[in-house]
Amino acid sequence: MSNFEGVTVVKKANVYFEGKVTSRAVLFADGTKKTLGIMLPGEYEFGTDSKEIMEILAGDLSVLLPGESDWTDIQGEGEFTVPANAKFKLKVRTVTDYCCSYIAE
Amino acid sequence: MSNFEGVTVVKKANVYFEGKVTSRAVLFADGTKKTLGIMLPGEYEFGTDSKEIMEILAGDLSVLLPGESDWTDIQGEGEFTVPANAKFKLKVRTVTDYCCSYIAE
C-alpha cells in the first residue's frame, strides 16, 4: 500500500534527537494510529508504550530488540515488532524512511 | 488548522540534501497538494514548478526570495510565497517544521 487514503494527518511534526528523528502522525477511521518518520544516521534508544510494528521503507540500519543480544540488520525494506513497554536500540547508517504502527492489545 | 482530515498521504518520503530536508505529500479531495516537511540546519536552494506558499510551523531561518537582495528572517511561525518557476534560498538555523502548499495558477 503506497498511499493511506481517507486519513487525518496531524500537521505538526514530532521531533526527537535534535531533529535527527522526526515523524508525523496519521490517524485512521478505525481509531488506529501510525507515524511516518525519518531517521538520520546515528544511534538511538526508543521506548514503547504500546506494541509497535516498525516497517522500514528504505534505509540501512541495525536493531537490537528487547531481550536480544544480537543485532539484526535491515538493508532496504524490512520490518520488526517491539512489545509494549519495552526499549529497543537502533544504529542507523543511512537516511531511513519508516512507518510505525501502534497496536492496541 | 492543526490536522488535515479526509486526506491521502503518500507513504514514502521525499528526501533531499542527504536527508537534511525531507517531506511527505498530502493529497486533498479537491485535487490540491501540500507537503509536510522538516529541514535541518543548513543552507539550501530550491526551485519551484508551481507557485508555493511555505508556512513555517516552527523554526529559525532566513529566506532570500527571487528578485530580492535582502534576506527575510522567520523565527517561530511565519509564511512566505514563491512564484512558479523561480528559485529561492534558505539559511536554516534550527530544526524547521513546514507545510508547503502548491498553488495552480
Side-chain angles (χ1 to χ4, degrees), chain A residues 1-13 18-19 22 24 36-38 40 55 57-58 95 97-99, chain B residues 1-13 18-19 22 24 36-38 40 55 57-58 95 97-99:
Chain A
M1 186 169 43
S2 59
N3 291 346
F4 294 130
E5 297 180 9
V7 297
T8 294
V9 180
V10 179
K11 199 170 171 186
K12 203 156 181 56
E18 297 174 330
T22 57
R24 279 180 223 258
L36 289 166
I38 292 284
L40 296 189
E55 179 187 0
L57 305 171
V95 179
D97 187 6
Y98 72 87
C99 177
Chain B
M1 185 169 43
S2 60
N3 291 346
F4 294 130
E5 298 180 6
V7 297
T8 294
V9 180
V10 179
K11 200 169 172 187
K12 202 156 183 55
E18 298 173 330
T22 57
R24 281 182 221 258
L36 289 166
I38 292 285
L40 296 189
E55 179 187 0
L57 305 170
V95 180
D97 188 6
Y98 72 86
C99 177

mmCIF file of all heavy atoms in Angstrom, chain A residues 1-13 18-19 22 24 36-38 40 55 57-58 95 97-99, chain B residues 1-13 18-19 22 24 36-38 40 55 57-58 95 97-99:
data_model
loop_
_atom_site.group_PDB
_atom_site.id
_atom_site.type_symbol
_atom_site.label_atom_id
_atom_site.label_comp_id
_atom_site.label_asym_id
_atom_site.label_seq_id
_atom_site.Cartn_x
_atom_site.Cartn_y
_atom_site.Cartn_z
ATOM 1 N N MET A 1 0.861 -1.188 0.000
ATOM 2 C CA MET A 1 0.000 0.000 0.000
ATOM 3 C C MET A 1 0.895 1.234 0.000
ATOM 4 O O MET A 1 1.611 1.485 0.948
ATOM 5 C CB MET A 1 -0.894 -0.019 1.233
ATOM 6 C CG MET A 1 -1.921 1.068 1.254
ATOM 7 S SD MET A 1 -3.145 0.811 2.561
ATOM 8 C CE MET A 1 -2.105 0.297 3.936
ATOM 9 N N SER A 2 0.840 1.991 -1.102
ATOM 10 C CA SER A 2 1.769 3.112 -1.207
ATOM 11 C C SER A 2 1.179 4.430 -0.704
ATOM 12 O O SER A 2 1.915 5.381 -0.471
ATOM 13 C CB SER A 2 2.240 3.264 -2.642
ATOM 14 O OG SER A 2 1.131 3.485 -3.480
ATOM 15 N N ASN A 3 -0.152 4.467 -0.550
ATOM 16 C CA ASN A 3 -0.811 5.658 -0.018
ATOM 17 C C ASN A 3 -1.729 5.250 1.129
ATOM 18 O O ASN A 3 -2.232 4.124 1.151
ATOM 19 C CB ASN A 3 -1.712 6.313 -1.079
ATOM 20 C CG ASN A 3 -0.925 6.940 -2.211
ATOM 21 O OD1 ASN A 3 0.283 7.119 -2.111
ATOM 22 N ND2 ASN A 3 -1.613 7.271 -3.277
ATOM 23 N N PHE A 4 -1.977 6.169 2.049
ATOM 24 C CA PHE A 4 -3.027 5.990 3.044
ATOM 25 C C PHE A 4 -4.162 6.935 2.677
ATOM 26 O O PHE A 4 -3.977 8.155 2.649
ATOM 27 C CB PHE A 4 -2.505 6.310 4.442
ATOM 28 C CG PHE A 4 -1.443 5.369 4.939
ATOM 29 C CD1 PHE A 4 -0.262 5.849 5.469
ATOM 30 C CD2 PHE A 4 -1.626 3.993 4.881
ATOM 31 C CE1 PHE A 4 0.719 4.978 5.936
ATOM 32 C CE2 PHE A 4 -0.653 3.118 5.346
ATOM 33 C CZ PHE A 4 0.518 3.612 5.870
ATOM 34 N N GLU A 5 -5.331 6.385 2.404
ATOM 35 C CA GLU A 5 -6.455 7.209 1.941
ATOM 36 C C GLU A 5 -7.485 7.417 3.043
ATOM 37 O O GLU A 5 -7.674 6.546 3.897
ATOM 38 C CB GLU A 5 -7.121 6.533 0.736
ATOM 39 C CG GLU A 5 -6.172 6.415 -0.440
ATOM 40 C CD GLU A 5 -6.805 5.747 -1.665
ATOM 41 O OE1 GLU A 5 -8.020 5.522 -1.655
ATOM 42 O OE2 GLU A 5 -6.057 5.484 -2.611
ATOM 43 N N GLY A 6 -8.150 8.563 3.019
ATOM 44 C CA GLY A 6 -9.227 8.845 3.964
ATOM 45 C C GLY A 6 -8.745 8.961 5.402
ATOM 46 O O GLY A 6 -9.437 8.544 6.323
ATOM 47 N N VAL A 7 -7.568 9.522 5.557
ATOM 48 C CA VAL A 7 -6.956 9.607 6.888
ATOM 49 C C VAL A 7 -6.888 11.058 7.364
ATOM 50 O O VAL A 7 -7.139 11.995 6.607
ATOM 51 C CB VAL A 7 -5.528 9.007 6.876
ATOM 52 C CG1 VAL A 7 -5.585 7.512 6.538
ATOM 53 C CG2 VAL A 7 -4.622 9.757 5.909
ATOM 54 N N THR A 8 -6.552 11.197 8.640
ATOM 55 C CA THR A 8 -6.259 12.511 9.215
ATOM 56 C C THR A 8 -4.754 12.578 9.494
ATOM 57 O O THR A 8 -4.182 11.637 10.047
ATOM 58 C CB THR A 8 -7.033 12.701 10.533
ATOM 59 O OG1 THR A 8 -8.434 12.751 10.233
ATOM 60 C CG2 THR A 8 -6.627 13.996 11.243
ATOM 61 N N VAL A 9 -4.148 13.678 9.086
ATOM 62 C CA VAL A 9 -2.726 13.875 9.351
ATOM 63 C C VAL A 9 -2.564 15.012 10.351
ATOM 64 O O VAL A 9 -3.167 16.083 10.173
ATOM 65 C CB VAL A 9 -1.962 14.238 8.068
ATOM 66 C CG1 VAL A 9 -0.480 14.443 8.351
ATOM 67 C CG2 VAL A 9 -2.146 13.159 7.030
ATOM 68 N N VAL A 10 -1.821 14.781 11.393
ATOM 69 C CA VAL A 10 -1.501 15.847 12.339
ATOM 70 C C VAL A 10 -0.415 16.703 11.685
ATOM 71 O O VAL A 10 0.620 16.200 11.251
ATOM 72 C CB VAL A 10 -1.020 15.270 13.686
ATOM 73 C CG1 VAL A 10 -0.666 16.400 14.643
ATOM 74 C CG2 VAL A 10 -2.096 14.364 14.287
ATOM 75 N N LYS A 11 -0.728 17.989 11.599
ATOM 76 C CA LYS A 11 0.138 18.874 10.816
ATOM 77 C C LYS A 11 1.537 19.002 11.423
ATOM 78 O O LYS A 11 2.536 18.968 10.725
ATOM 79 C CB LYS A 11 -0.544 20.251 10.774
ATOM 80 C CG LYS A 11 -0.074 21.168 9.681
ATOM 81 C CD LYS A 11 -1.017 22.370 9.625
ATOM 82 C CE LYS A 11 -0.517 23.442 8.706
ATOM 83 N NZ LYS A 11 -1.371 24.645 8.787
ATOM 84 N N LYS A 12 1.593 19.156 12.717
ATOM 85 C CA LYS A 12 2.867 19.444 13.384
ATOM 86 C C LYS A 12 3.690 18.169 13.535
ATOM 87 O O LYS A 12 3.176 17.106 13.870
ATOM 88 C CB LYS A 12 2.580 20.058 14.761
ATOM 89 C CG LYS A 12 3.730 20.873 15.293
ATOM 90 C CD LYS A 12 3.271 21.910 16.299
ATOM 91 C CE LYS A 12 4.444 22.726 16.803
ATOM 92 N NZ LYS A 12 5.201 23.365 15.701
ATOM 93 N N ALA A 13 4.978 18.281 13.291
ATOM 94 C CA ALA A 13 5.865 17.126 13.381
ATOM 95 C C ALA A 13 6.214 16.795 14.826
ATOM 96 O O ALA A 13 6.202 17.664 15.702
ATOM 97 C CB ALA A 13 7.150 17.419 12.605
ATOM 98 N N GLU A 18 17.156 16.125 18.508
ATOM 99 C CA GLU A 18 17.529 17.359 17.809
ATOM 100 C C GLU A 18 17.194 17.315 16.316
ATOM 101 O O GLU A 18 17.929 17.863 15.495
ATOM 102 C CB GLU A 18 19.018 17.651 18.004
ATOM 103 C CG GLU A 18 19.354 17.890 19.482
ATOM 104 C CD GLU A 18 20.838 18.041 19.737
ATOM 105 O OE1 GLU A 18 21.616 17.423 18.983
ATOM 106 O OE2 GLU A 18 21.206 18.771 20.672
ATOM 107 N N GLY A 19 16.113 16.642 15.992
ATOM 108 C CA GLY A 19 15.655 16.613 14.606
ATOM 109 C C GLY A 19 16.234 15.484 13.779
ATOM 110 O O GLY A 19 15.861 15.321 12.610
ATOM 111 N N THR A 22 12.408 12.400 13.102
ATOM 112 C CA THR A 22 11.170 13.180 13.058
ATOM 113 C C THR A 22 10.062 12.304 12.498
ATOM 114 O O THR A 22 10.308 11.362 11.743
ATOM 115 C CB THR A 22 11.312 14.427 12.168
ATOM 116 O OG1 THR A 22 11.695 14.023 10.848
ATOM 117 C CG2 THR A 22 12.346 15.393 12.723
ATOM 118 N N ARG A 24 5.451 12.220 11.617
ATOM 119 C CA ARG A 24 4.114 12.810 11.685
ATOM 120 C C ARG A 24 3.085 11.712 11.873
ATOM 121 O O ARG A 24 3.222 10.618 11.337
ATOM 122 C CB ARG A 24 3.793 13.605 10.426
ATOM 123 C CG ARG A 24 4.447 14.990 10.522
ATOM 124 C CD ARG A 24 4.167 15.839 9.304
ATOM 125 N NE ARG A 24 5.408 16.480 8.954
ATOM 126 C CZ ARG A 24 5.704 17.749 9.238
ATOM 127 N NH1 ARG A 24 4.833 18.540 9.805
ATOM 128 N NH2 ARG A 24 6.880 18.242 8.922
ATOM 129 N N LEU A 36 4.637 8.263 10.272
ATOM 130 C CA LEU A 36 5.568 8.192 9.146
ATOM 131 C C LEU A 36 6.757 9.041 9.517
ATOM 132 O O LEU A 36 6.604 10.219 9.859
ATOM 133 C CB LEU A 36 4.891 8.714 7.875
ATOM 134 C CG LEU A 36 3.801 7.818 7.292
ATOM 135 C CD1 LEU A 36 2.985 8.582 6.249
ATOM 136 C CD2 LEU A 36 4.421 6.564 6.666
ATOM 137 N N GLY A 37 7.951 8.448 9.483
ATOM 138 C CA GLY A 37 9.096 9.179 10.011
ATOM 139 C C GLY A 37 10.374 8.987 9.224
ATOM 140 O O GLY A 37 10.466 8.140 8.325
ATOM 141 N N ILE A 38 11.333 9.800 9.593
ATOM 142 C CA ILE A 38 12.679 9.779 9.014
ATOM 143 C C ILE A 38 13.692 9.722 10.154
ATOM 144 O O ILE A 38 13.557 10.456 11.142
ATOM 145 C CB ILE A 38 12.938 11.069 8.196
ATOM 146 C CG1 ILE A 38 12.060 11.124 6.943
ATOM 147 C CG2 ILE A 38 14.422 11.208 7.821
ATOM 148 C CD1 ILE A 38 12.507 10.220 5.813
ATOM 149 N N LEU A 40 17.871 10.018 10.619
ATOM 150 C CA LEU A 40 19.178 10.265 10.005
ATOM 151 C C LEU A 40 20.210 9.369 10.699
ATOM 152 O O LEU A 40 19.959 8.821 11.769
ATOM 153 C CB LEU A 40 19.544 11.742 10.143
ATOM 154 C CG LEU A 40 18.627 12.721 9.405
ATOM 155 C CD1 LEU A 40 19.218 14.127 9.429
ATOM 156 C CD2 LEU A 40 18.403 12.291 7.957
ATOM 157 N N GLU A 55 7.900 -0.706 10.181
ATOM 158 C CA GLU A 55 8.146 -1.080 8.791
ATOM 159 C C GLU A 55 9.201 -0.118 8.232
ATOM 160 O O GLU A 55 9.000 1.104 8.249
ATOM 161 C CB GLU A 55 6.841 -0.956 7.993
ATOM 162 C CG GLU A 55 7.009 -1.299 6.523
ATOM 163 C CD GLU A 55 5.761 -1.012 5.698
ATOM 164 O OE1 GLU A 55 4.756 -0.547 6.275
ATOM 165 O OE2 GLU A 55 5.816 -1.217 4.476
ATOM 166 N N LEU A 57 10.834 1.443 5.197
ATOM 167 C CA LEU A 57 10.514 1.648 3.777
ATOM 168 C C LEU A 57 11.778 1.773 2.948
ATOM 169 O O LEU A 57 11.804 1.415 1.761
ATOM 170 C CB LEU A 57 9.661 2.916 3.624
ATOM 171 C CG LEU A 57 8.376 2.947 4.467
ATOM 172 C CD1 LEU A 57 7.728 4.319 4.400
ATOM 173 C CD2 LEU A 57 7.403 1.892 3.986
ATOM 174 N N ALA A 58 12.828 2.302 3.552
ATOM 175 C CA ALA A 58 14.135 2.448 2.898
ATOM 176 C C ALA A 58 15.137 2.748 3.993
ATOM 177 O O ALA A 58 14.827 3.490 4.933
ATOM 178 C CB ALA A 58 14.111 3.581 1.873
ATOM 179 N N VAL A 95 20.054 7.464 5.688
ATOM 180 C CA VAL A 95 18.727 8.072 5.891
ATOM 181 C C VAL A 95 17.673 6.974 5.796
ATOM 182 O O VAL A 95 17.639 6.221 4.822
ATOM 183 C CB VAL A 95 18.445 9.150 4.823
ATOM 184 C CG1 VAL A 95 17.068 9.755 5.039
ATOM 185 C CG2 VAL A 95 19.516 10.222 4.853
ATOM 186 N N ASP A 97 13.667 5.768 6.089
ATOM 187 C CA ASP A 97 12.254 6.148 5.958
ATOM 188 C C ASP A 97 11.437 5.026 6.592
ATOM 189 O O ASP A 97 11.627 3.858 6.244
ATOM 190 C CB ASP A 97 11.951 6.259 4.458
ATOM 191 C CG ASP A 97 10.573 6.815 4.153
ATOM 192 O OD1 ASP A 97 9.870 7.237 5.077
ATOM 193 O OD2 ASP A 97 10.221 6.826 2.953
ATOM 194 N N TYR A 98 10.560 5.359 7.529
ATOM 195 C CA TYR A 98 9.831 4.294 8.218
ATOM 196 C C TYR A 98 8.356 4.621 8.421
ATOM 197 O O TYR A 98 7.947 5.784 8.380
ATOM 198 C CB TYR A 98 10.483 3.966 9.571
ATOM 199 C CG TYR A 98 10.301 5.020 10.645
ATOM 200 C CD1 TYR A 98 9.171 5.021 11.471
ATOM 201 C CD2 TYR A 98 11.244 6.020 10.835
ATOM 202 C CE1 TYR A 98 8.997 5.969 12.464
ATOM 203 C CE2 TYR A 98 11.076 6.975 11.822
ATOM 204 C CZ TYR A 98 9.956 6.952 12.630
ATOM 205 O OH TYR A 98 9.780 7.906 13.597
ATOM 206 N N CYS A 99 7.602 3.556 8.672
ATOM 207 C CA CYS A 99 6.187 3.661 9.057
ATOM 208 C C CYS A 99 5.997 2.816 10.307
ATOM 209 O O CYS A 99 6.239 1.606 10.285
ATOM 210 C CB CYS A 99 5.314 3.138 7.927
ATOM 211 S SG CYS A 99 3.559 3.144 8.348
ATOM 212 N N MET B 1 -5.522 25.512 11.667
ATOM 213 C CA MET B 1 -5.933 24.126 11.418
ATOM 214 C C MET B 1 -4.779 23.211 11.790
ATOM 215 O O MET B 1 -3.718 23.262 11.181
ATOM 216 C CB MET B 1 -6.283 23.968 9.938
ATOM 217 C CG MET B 1 -6.833 22.607 9.601
ATOM 218 S SD MET B 1 -7.521 22.578 7.911
ATOM 219 C CE MET B 1 -6.267 23.477 6.986
ATOM 220 N N SER B 2 -4.983 22.406 12.816
ATOM 221 C CA SER B 2 -3.862 21.608 13.304
ATOM 222 C C SER B 2 -3.820 20.208 12.703
ATOM 223 O O SER B 2 -2.810 19.527 12.787
ATOM 224 C CB SER B 2 -3.918 21.517 14.826
ATOM 225 O OG SER B 2 -5.129 20.908 15.219
ATOM 226 N N ASN B 3 -4.935 19.777 12.098
ATOM 227 C CA ASN B 3 -4.984 18.475 11.424
ATOM 228 C C ASN B 3 -5.510 18.672 10.002
ATOM 229 O O ASN B 3 -6.274 19.600 9.743
ATOM 230 C CB ASN B 3 -5.971 17.524 12.133
ATOM 231 C CG ASN B 3 -5.481 17.098 13.502
ATOM 232 O OD1 ASN B 3 -4.317 17.284 13.856
ATOM 233 N ND2 ASN B 3 -6.368 16.510 14.267
ATOM 234 N N PHE B 4 -5.107 17.764 9.109
ATOM 235 C CA PHE B 4 -5.754 17.680 7.800
ATOM 236 C C PHE B 4 -6.606 16.414 7.801
ATOM 237 O O PHE B 4 -6.075 15.310 7.976
ATOM 238 C CB PHE B 4 -4.707 17.600 6.693
ATOM 239 C CG PHE B 4 -3.869 18.840 6.561
ATOM 240 C CD1 PHE B 4 -2.492 18.768 6.516
ATOM 241 C CD2 PHE B 4 -4.462 20.092 6.464
ATOM 242 C CE1 PHE B 4 -1.716 19.910 6.383
ATOM 243 C CE2 PHE B 4 -3.686 21.243 6.329
ATOM 244 C CZ PHE B 4 -2.312 21.153 6.289
ATOM 245 N N GLU B 5 -7.901 16.580 7.598
ATOM 246 C CA GLU B 5 -8.814 15.437 7.670
ATOM 247 C C GLU B 5 -9.278 15.002 6.283
ATOM 248 O O GLU B 5 -9.401 15.824 5.380
ATOM 249 C CB GLU B 5 -10.035 15.814 8.527
ATOM 250 C CG GLU B 5 -9.642 16.146 9.957
ATOM 251 C CD GLU B 5 -10.831 16.521 10.838
ATOM 252 O OE1 GLU B 5 -11.976 16.417 10.366
ATOM 253 O OE2 GLU B 5 -10.603 16.930 11.992
ATOM 254 N N GLY B 6 -9.545 13.704 6.150
ATOM 255 C CA GLY B 6 -10.077 13.170 4.893
ATOM 256 C C GLY B 6 -9.106 13.288 3.739
ATOM 257 O O GLY B 6 -9.508 13.542 2.599
ATOM 258 N N VAL B 7 -7.835 13.103 4.025
ATOM 259 C CA VAL B 7 -6.798 13.283 3.008
ATOM 260 C C VAL B 7 -6.137 11.947 2.667
ATOM 261 O O VAL B 7 -6.347 10.934 3.338
ATOM 262 C CB VAL B 7 -5.725 14.275 3.495
ATOM 263 C CG1 VAL B 7 -6.339 15.652 3.711
ATOM 264 C CG2 VAL B 7 -5.034 13.772 4.763
ATOM 265 N N THR B 8 -5.358 11.980 1.612
ATOM 266 C CA THR B 8 -4.494 10.851 1.250
ATOM 267 C C THR B 8 -3.048 11.249 1.531
ATOM 268 O O THR B 8 -2.629 12.345 1.172
ATOM 269 C CB THR B 8 -4.661 10.511 -0.246
ATOM 270 O OG1 THR B 8 -5.990 10.031 -0.456
ATOM 271 C CG2 THR B 8 -3.670 9.442 -0.691
ATOM 272 N N VAL B 9 -2.332 10.348 2.192
ATOM 273 C CA VAL B 9 -0.912 10.605 2.463
ATOM 274 C C VAL B 9 -0.085 9.617 1.651
ATOM 275 O O VAL B 9 -0.358 8.412 1.663
ATOM 276 C CB VAL B 9 -0.585 10.403 3.959
ATOM 277 C CG1 VAL B 9 0.886 10.671 4.222
ATOM 278 C CG2 VAL B 9 -1.440 11.315 4.815
ATOM 279 N N VAL B 10 0.881 10.123 0.943
ATOM 280 C CA VAL B 10 1.816 9.240 0.242
ATOM 281 C C VAL B 10 2.806 8.711 1.278
ATOM 282 O O VAL B 10 3.416 9.475 2.021
ATOM 283 C CB VAL B 10 2.553 10.000 -0.884
ATOM 284 C CG1 VAL B 10 3.544 9.079 -1.583
ATOM 285 C CG2 VAL B 10 1.551 10.574 -1.871
ATOM 286 N N LYS B 11 2.875 7.382 1.335
ATOM 287 C CA LYS B 11 3.636 6.752 2.418
ATOM 288 C C LYS B 11 5.128 7.100 2.335
ATOM 289 O O LYS B 11 5.763 7.400 3.343
ATOM 290 C CB LYS B 11 3.425 5.238 2.285
ATOM 291 C CG LYS B 11 3.720 4.436 3.519
ATOM 292 C CD LYS B 11 3.213 3.016 3.301
ATOM 293 C CE LYS B 11 3.634 2.096 4.414
ATOM 294 N NZ LYS B 11 3.259 0.692 4.079
ATOM 295 N N LYS B 12 5.678 7.019 1.178
ATOM 296 C CA LYS B 12 7.123 7.163 1.018
ATOM 297 C C LYS B 12 7.529 8.632 1.093
ATOM 298 O O LYS B 12 6.874 9.502 0.536
ATOM 299 C CB LYS B 12 7.533 6.564 -0.338
ATOM 300 C CG LYS B 12 8.996 6.170 -0.388
ATOM 301 C CD LYS B 12 9.253 5.089 -1.431
ATOM 302 C CE LYS B 12 10.711 4.665 -1.403
ATOM 303 N NZ LYS B 12 11.182 4.231 -0.081
ATOM 304 N N ALA B 13 8.625 8.884 1.789
ATOM 305 C CA ALA B 13 9.103 10.257 1.955
ATOM 306 C C ALA B 13 9.824 10.756 0.711
ATOM 307 O O ALA B 13 10.385 9.971 -0.065
ATOM 308 C CB ALA B 13 10.052 10.322 3.154
ATOM 309 N N GLU B 18 20.637 14.830 1.162
ATOM 310 C CA GLU B 18 21.081 13.725 2.028
ATOM 311 C C GLU B 18 20.235 13.595 3.292
ATOM 312 O O GLU B 18 20.740 13.240 4.348
ATOM 313 C CB GLU B 18 22.567 13.887 2.390
ATOM 314 C CG GLU B 18 23.459 13.841 1.146
ATOM 315 C CD GLU B 18 24.901 14.158 1.450
ATOM 316 O OE1 GLU B 18 25.163 14.914 2.391
ATOM 317 O OE2 GLU B 18 25.767 13.641 0.735
ATOM 318 N N GLY B 19 18.966 13.885 3.167
ATOM 319 C CA GLY B 19 18.051 13.711 4.291
ATOM 320 C C GLY B 19 17.939 14.914 5.202
ATOM 321 O O GLY B 19 17.156 14.891 6.162
ATOM 322 N N THR B 22 13.397 16.676 4.282
ATOM 323 C CA THR B 22 12.516 15.566 3.920
ATOM 324 C C THR B 22 11.074 16.041 3.998
ATOM 325 O O THR B 22 10.756 16.969 4.747
ATOM 326 C CB THR B 22 12.702 14.363 4.871
ATOM 327 O OG1 THR B 22 12.460 14.780 6.217
ATOM 328 C CG2 THR B 22 14.106 13.785 4.760
ATOM 329 N N ARG B 24 6.652 14.717 3.172
ATOM 330 C CA ARG B 24 5.667 13.759 2.673
ATOM 331 C C ARG B 24 4.507 14.522 2.064
ATOM 332 O O ARG B 24 4.109 15.566 2.567
ATOM 333 C CB ARG B 24 5.180 12.837 3.789
ATOM 334 C CG ARG B 24 6.199 11.743 4.041
ATOM 335 C CD ARG B 24 5.762 10.784 5.087
ATOM 336 N NE ARG B 24 6.916 10.497 5.894
ATOM 337 C CZ ARG B 24 7.672 9.388 5.815
ATOM 338 N NH1 ARG B 24 7.335 8.426 4.988
ATOM 339 N NH2 ARG B 24 8.727 9.236 6.565
ATOM 340 N N LEU B 36 4.292 18.179 3.927
ATOM 341 C CA LEU B 36 4.685 18.466 5.297
ATOM 342 C C LEU B 36 6.138 18.022 5.421
ATOM 343 O O LEU B 36 6.455 16.863 5.114
ATOM 344 C CB LEU B 36 3.805 17.694 6.283
ATOM 345 C CG LEU B 36 2.361 18.185 6.374
ATOM 346 C CD1 LEU B 36 1.482 17.166 7.094
ATOM 347 C CD2 LEU B 36 2.308 19.525 7.116
ATOM 348 N N GLY B 37 6.997 18.936 5.862
ATOM 349 C CA GLY B 37 8.413 18.600 5.824
ATOM 350 C C GLY B 37 9.208 19.119 6.996
ATOM 351 O O GLY B 37 8.718 19.904 7.820
ATOM 352 N N ILE B 38 10.432 18.631 7.038
ATOM 353 C CA ILE B 38 11.406 19.016 8.060
ATOM 354 C C ILE B 38 12.685 19.439 7.352
ATOM 355 O O ILE B 38 13.148 18.760 6.422
ATOM 356 C CB ILE B 38 11.735 17.819 8.987
ATOM 357 C CG1 ILE B 38 10.526 17.440 9.834
ATOM 358 C CG2 ILE B 38 12.962 18.116 9.863
ATOM 359 C CD1 ILE B 38 10.230 18.375 10.988
ATOM 360 N N LEU B 40 16.654 20.411 8.421
ATOM 361 C CA LEU B 40 17.669 20.540 9.469
ATOM 362 C C LEU B 40 18.553 21.735 9.141
ATOM 363 O O LEU B 40 18.533 22.256 8.026
ATOM 364 C CB LEU B 40 18.494 19.251 9.549
ATOM 365 C CG LEU B 40 17.700 18.015 9.958
ATOM 366 C CD1 LEU B 40 18.633 16.839 10.220
ATOM 367 C CD2 LEU B 40 16.858 18.267 11.201
ATOM 368 N N GLU B 55 4.507 27.692 4.678
ATOM 369 C CA GLU B 55 4.119 28.044 6.043
ATOM 370 C C GLU B 55 5.143 27.404 6.984
ATOM 371 O O GLU B 55 5.337 26.182 6.963
ATOM 372 C CB GLU B 55 2.717 27.491 6.330
ATOM 373 C CG GLU B 55 2.241 27.790 7.736
ATOM 374 C CD GLU B 55 0.928 27.091 8.065
ATOM 375 O OE1 GLU B 55 0.391 26.374 7.195
ATOM 376 O OE2 GLU B 55 0.460 27.245 9.205
ATOM 377 N N LEU B 57 5.961 26.235 10.492
ATOM 378 C CA LEU B 57 5.224 25.860 11.709
ATOM 379 C C LEU B 57 6.089 26.072 12.944
ATOM 380 O O LEU B 57 5.581 26.347 14.042
ATOM 381 C CB LEU B 57 4.790 24.400 11.620
ATOM 382 C CG LEU B 57 3.963 24.029 10.375
ATOM 383 C CD1 LEU B 57 3.789 22.524 10.269
ATOM 384 C CD2 LEU B 57 2.614 24.723 10.421
ATOM 385 N N ALA B 58 7.379 25.904 12.787
ATOM 386 C CA ALA B 58 8.347 26.124 13.862
ATOM 387 C C ALA B 58 9.721 26.193 13.229
ATOM 388 O O ALA B 58 10.007 25.441 12.290
ATOM 389 C CB ALA B 58 8.304 24.975 14.872
ATOM 390 N N VAL B 95 16.077 23.221 13.656
ATOM 391 C CA VAL B 95 15.157 22.273 13.027
ATOM 392 C C VAL B 95 13.863 22.997 12.677
ATOM 393 O O VAL B 95 13.261 23.648 13.539
ATOM 394 C CB VAL B 95 14.844 21.098 13.983
ATOM 395 C CG1 VAL B 95 13.879 20.121 13.318
ATOM 396 C CG2 VAL B 95 16.119 20.384 14.389
ATOM 397 N N ASP B 97 10.055 22.981 10.898
ATOM 398 C CA ASP B 97 8.870 22.203 10.540
ATOM 399 C C ASP B 97 8.043 23.074 9.594
ATOM 400 O O ASP B 97 7.741 24.224 9.915
ATOM 401 C CB ASP B 97 8.093 21.916 11.837
ATOM 402 C CG ASP B 97 6.936 20.956 11.664
ATOM 403 O OD1 ASP B 97 6.760 20.402 10.572
ATOM 404 O OD2 ASP B 97 6.214 20.759 12.664
ATOM 405 N N TYR B 98 7.701 22.542 8.424
ATOM 406 C CA TYR B 98 6.987 23.385 7.462
ATOM 407 C C TYR B 98 5.853 22.649 6.768
ATOM 408 O O TYR B 98 5.806 21.417 6.734
ATOM 409 C CB TYR B 98 7.959 23.960 6.417
ATOM 410 C CG TYR B 98 8.479 22.954 5.415
ATOM 411 C CD1 TYR B 98 7.758 22.654 4.258
ATOM 412 C CD2 TYR B 98 9.687 22.301 5.617
ATOM 413 C CE1 TYR B 98 8.230 21.744 3.332
ATOM 414 C CE2 TYR B 98 10.153 21.381 4.696
ATOM 415 C CZ TYR B 98 9.434 21.111 3.559
ATOM 416 O OH TYR B 98 9.902 20.190 2.637
ATOM 417 N N CYS B 99 4.966 23.448 6.195
ATOM 418 C CA CYS B 99 3.882 22.951 5.354
ATOM 419 C C CYS B 99 3.905 23.768 4.068
ATOM 420 O O CYS B 99 3.746 24.992 4.104
ATOM 421 C CB CYS B 99 2.538 23.118 6.056
ATOM 422 S SG CYS B 99 1.141 22.597 5.048
#
